[in-house]
Amino acid sequence: MFGDEKNKDILIAFLSAVLKMPTEEFAGIEIINNELLREFAEDKKGILDVRAKMSSGKQIDIEIQILPTQFIPARTLFYWSKIYSSQARAEDSYAVLKKCVTINILDFKSFPLINCTAATT
């Protein structure tokens, strides 16, 4: 449903609610190729459920998983890292990197990916 161009208004309403951003922020959003390209033949392939790009360059991955799997945290981090790192070429500065967001819709409990408490030294 979210990945269909005909339902872009539903996608925008969902993203606006989840990310707590006004719908105007999603003007010009486009649904893009959901296949994560491999750099080498032996690289692991990734197919995202929904991949969208905002006019600002920010990319959003929406993953929907009904069956429980212990690998959600690792898979989420893998997909996110591929999206993020694919933005820059060898000659680019790190300034070209735009924010990437992953949203998981799960029908089971999963542990958070990141512990938000930072240790101070």
Side-chain angles (χ1 to χ4, degrees):
M1 170 174 63
F2 293 130
D4 189 331
E5 285 286 334
K6 295 182 296 185
N7 297 327
K8 200 182 278 189
D9 57 331
I10 296 171
L11 172 64
I12 291 170
F14 172 77
L15 293 173
S16 174
V18 169
L19 299 175
K20 296 179 175 39
M21 296 169 61
T23 55
E24 298 78 37
E25 294 277 332
F26 299 97
I29 194 169
E30 66 175 302
I31 298 168
I32 57 176
N33 184 358
N34 63 342
E35 185 175 341
L36 297 175
L37 302 176
R38 299 182 211 190
E39 189 174 347
F40 303 102
E42 63 274 7
D43 285 353
K44 184 159 183 63
K45 185 175 184 174
I47 306 271
L48 308 177
D49 291 338
V50 179
R51 185 177 181 185
K53 186 175 185 179
M54 297 174 60
S55 57
S56 65
K58 180 189 297 186
Q59 291 192 48
I60 303 167
D61 166 32
I62 302 172
E63 294 298 314
I64 303 166
Q65 181 71 38
I66 296 170
L67 298 175
T69 174
Q70 66 183 17
F71 300 109
I72 282 292
R75 186 172 79 188
T76 299
L77 186 57
F78 174 76
Y79 285 176
W80 177 88
S81 68
K82 293 280 276 185
I83 294 169
Y84 191 70
S85 64
S86 69
Q87 298 178 70
R89 301 189 192 288
E91 65 276 5
D92 291 338
S93 99
Y94 291 109
V96 302
L97 296 172
K98 303 294 182 192
K99 186 175 186 176
C100 295
V101 175
T102 298
I103 300 169
N104 287 331
I105 302 171
L106 308 174
D107 193 24
F108 57 92
K109 292 182 182 179
S110 182
F111 293 105
L113 295 178
I114 300 171
N115 181 349
C116 294
T117 58
T120 58
T121 54

